[in-house]
Amino acid sequence: MTEKPRAADQGSTGSTPGGSGPAEQAAGDGPRVVIRNNRKIGKTEEAPAAADAGTDAPAEGLVEEGEVVVDEIEVEATSVSGPPVVDAPAQPAEEAVAPAAPLGAELEALRAELDERTRDLQRVSAEYANYRKRVDRDRALVQEQATGSVLAALLPILDDLDRAREHGDLVGPFGTVAEQLTTALGKFGLTPFGEQGDPFDPTRHEAVAHQTSADVDAPTCVQVMRRGYLLGERLLRPALVAVADPE
């Protein structure tokens, strides 16, 4: 029993008239669609005759499978410039809020660093202010000590001028020079103290003699042997005095 040639086989060889040959099929770039057709062949009266003749015939109830070739379909795709636009899926609310956490942590870190730098700047500013105050105080102290040293060296000259004044020798040009010298030394903060009748102050007076007197109610300087001097508020030299105590 010979097998009946299929239509697809005929189309593939290119012998079928009106069909597309291999050259035409190769020229197309579109997809090839093949439709298989199953059809049931019923019982006919020619079946015995075909059997007697020795020809191939399909048995009763058999299904002959036919293959129908459809012409190639050329699919045209509309060209679109650029990559295809695909809508991104909407992200849930949790993912949208998630980046805020690292930003908040970074902001807190920056604030902490800013506070630390501010405290460092305040500490440095306070240290610098204290340093300036200490330097100014030391400078003033050194200057006062230097001035005090120079004035202390001139105090014996002032004592001689005081004795000359008591004896009435400061007259004429010599008296004028003595007054100018006293005024010039006063501009540096030199202040004399120690006069007869002043209350006795052990922090400023040095008592070299003591006596009693009914004319005083408290220890009093009754005689000044050498005047004392102050440099500003600093005691440069105490005064030598005789003190009278009440009886």
Side-chain angles (χ1 to χ4, degrees), residues 31-89:
R32 180 181 179 85
V33 180
V34 178
I35 302 175
R36 297 182 180 276
N37 183 18
N38 298 329
R39 51 192 180 85
K40 184 176 181 181
I41 301 175
K43 182 177 180 181
T44 61
E45 297 178 357
E46 298 177 358
D52 297 337
T55 59
D56 296 337
E60 182 180 1
L62 296 180
V63 177
E64 181 180 1
E65 182 178 358
E67 190 176 36
V68 180
V69 178
V70 182
D71 294 338
E72 295 176 359
I73 301 175
E74 181 178 359
V75 180
E76 294 183 357
T78 304
S79 61
V80 180
S81 60
V85 179
V86 180
D87 295 337

Side-chain angles (χ1 to χ4, degrees), residues 11 19 21 230:
L230 293 174

Side-chain angles (χ1 to χ4, degrees), residues 213-226:
S213 175
D215 298 334
V216 296
D217 298 333
T220 305
C221 298
V222 294
Q223 182 180 3
V224 178
M225 302 174 184
R226 188 185 66 184

Side-chain angles (χ1 to χ4, degrees), residues 4-206:
K4 184 179 180 180
R6 299 180 181 180
D9 298 335
Q10 296 176 2
S12 61
T13 58
S15 60
T16 305
S20 59
E24 296 179 359
Q25 293 179 1
D29 295 334
R32 180 181 179 85
V33 180
V34 178
I35 302 175
R36 297 182 180 276
N37 183 18
N38 298 329
R39 51 192 180 85
K40 184 176 181 181
I41 301 175
K43 182 177 180 181
T44 61
E45 297 178 357
E46 298 177 358
D52 297 337
T55 59
D56 296 337
E60 182 180 1
L62 296 180
V63 177
E64 181 180 1
E65 182 178 358
E67 190 176 36
V68 180
V69 178
V70 182
D71 294 338
E72 295 176 359
I73 301 175
E74 181 178 359
V75 180
E76 294 183 357
T78 304
S79 61
V80 180
S81 60
V85 179
V86 180
D87 295 337
Q91 297 181 356
E94 292 77 10
E95 295 181 4
V97 180
L103 293 178
E106 184 177 359
L107 180 59
E108 291 297 331
L110 291 176
R111 287 179 178 175
E113 185 176 359
L114 177 61
D115 294 340
E116 183 179 359
R117 295 295 182 270
T118 303
R119 289 191 296 268
D120 293 341
L121 179 59
Q122 293 175 350
R123 182 170 58 255
V124 171
S125 299
E127 291 178 356
Y128 179 69
N130 294 332
Y131 169 76
R132 289 189 58 185
K133 291 179 181 179
R134 184 169 61 253
V135 169
D136 294 341
R137 184 174 60 251
D138 295 343
R139 183 183 296 112
L141 181 60
V142 171
Q143 182 178 1
E144 183 180 356
Q145 289 176 352
T147 305
S149 300
V150 174
L151 295 178
L154 297 176
L155 291 182
I157 299 175
L158 297 178
D159 294 338
D160 294 339
L161 293 176
D162 290 338
R163 285 189 288 268
R165 187 179 293 109
E166 291 176 358
H167 292 84
D169 295 334
L170 290 180
V171 293
F174 184 69
T176 304
V177 173
E179 292 298 331
Q180 291 178 354
L181 179 60
T182 304
T183 304
L185 295 178
K187 293 180 180 179
F188 290 95
L190 184 65
T191 305
F193 70 91
E195 298 293 338
Q196 187 176 355
D198 291 343
F200 176 74
D201 186 358
T203 61
R204 301 174 60 180
H205 300 109
E206 183 178 353

